[in-house]
Amino acid sequence: MTAIRLLLVDDDPLVRAGLSLMMGGAEDIEIVGEGADGDEVEALVDRTRPDVVLMDIRMPTVDGLTATERLRARADAPQVVVLTTFHADEQVLHALRAGAAGFVLKDTPPAQIVDAVRRVAAGDPVLSPAVTRQLMRHAAGTRADTRQARARDRLTALNDREREVAVAVGRGLANAEIATGLFMSVATVKTHVSRILAKLGLNNRVQIALLAYDAGLLEDTL
């Protein structure tokens, strides 16, 4: 089995050391590089070719949000998981909209952080339905009407079936659960999700969930 190539980016050397020690015990994860600031990320990615970047948000020169936006704009971008000390932080939401695959709290148990890296490498966002709902609630507020109109306009690109799948993704359902609820195969669900991402220009399921929330499609499920 090919090891997951992981890049660590955090301005605190003690945090990097702890993450390195933690990840070093996983046989299927290889740490290919470390960075101390967001301004180093693109050069490090070019040199180390990671599958996943574990990135701090608060860094001195270029923060993790800006670094994530720059990285995810690239055609060959690795997956990004942001590190945070808050459960519901507007900056975390910003990172998710920029294309990060999810986030982990810095006080998360080591085994769960390792599992998060594995899941993201496999294409699954690191957000439970409860955390997704919490973040989306946190997003509600300023310019809600404008955001809703914009989101609904974007969703007109989807057909009815794709829209149903988008709502199910927004509810935090796994592919198997969506398949059961909508009476289709898991393979068909995966195809629909891929088409939704392509049609809407999104990077991952978290962004689908956020867009569905912005459009007001999840109000009865929160």
Side-chain angles (χ1 to χ4, degrees):
M1 180 178 64
T2 303
I4 299 165
R5 298 173 62 82
L6 177 67
L7 173 65
L8 304 176
V9 184
D10 195 296
D11 64 325
D12 188 335
L14 291 179
V15 172
R16 292 201 308 275
L19 290 170
S20 182
L21 181 64
M22 181 191 311
M23 297 298 173
E27 295 181 356
D28 58 339
I29 297 175
E30 176 188 0
I31 298 174
V32 295
E34 295 184 13
D37 202 292
D39 64 352
E40 304 175 32
V41 171
E42 291 190 87
L44 283 169
V45 166
D46 288 338
R47 186 165 71 249
T48 63
R49 298 294 175 185
D51 300 305
V52 178
V53 179
L54 195 55
M55 180 128 58
D56 188 20
I57 288 182
R58 294 172 175 83
M59 292 183 284
T61 306
V62 175
D63 62 61
L65 302 178
T66 302
T68 296
E69 288 178 337
R70 292 175 180 174
L71 198 56
R72 292 302 299 173
R74 296 165 49 135
D76 59 346
Q79 296 292 341
V80 177
V81 178
V82 294
L83 289 164
T84 181
T85 55
F86 300 100
H87 286 272
D89 186 342
E90 184 68 32
Q91 291 183 319
V92 174
L93 190 71
H94 183 169
L96 298 178
R97 293 189 188 281
F103 78 95
V104 292
L105 301 175
K106 286 190 174 181
D107 60 357
T108 298
Q112 292 182 26
I113 296 180
V114 173
D115 182 60
V117 171
R118 290 175 175 143
R119 286 173 54 194
V120 166
D124 295 325
V126 189
L127 290 174
S128 69
V131 172
T132 300
R133 288 193 292 269
Q134 185 178 11
L135 281 170
M136 290 189 297
R137 284 195 186 101
H138 189 70
T142 60
R143 300 193 303 273
D145 291 341
T146 301
R147 188 169 58 244
Q148 184 177 89
R150 203 171 289 160
R152 288 182 174 180
D153 183 63
R154 290 185 69 186
L155 289 173
T156 59
L158 306 182
N159 61 38
D160 290 343
R161 204 56 164 162
E162 290 164 347
R163 189 182 178 92
E164 289 177 333
V165 171
V167 171
V169 169
R171 290 174 177 166
L173 300 181
N175 286 340
E177 294 172 316
I178 297 173
T180 299
L182 296 181
F183 305 102
M184 61 177 70
S185 69
V186 172
T188 300
V189 172
K190 291 180 178 179
T191 298
H192 281 309
V193 171
S194 295
R195 287 176 178 167
I196 292 167
L197 293 172
K199 284 184 175 183
L200 300 179
L202 302 176
N203 289 292
N204 54 49
R205 295 168 71 100
V206 175
Q207 289 185 321
I208 295 175
L210 291 170
L211 188 62
Y213 177 79
D214 284 347
L217 301 182
L218 307 181
E219 292 178 355
D220 294 335
T221 68
L222 297 178

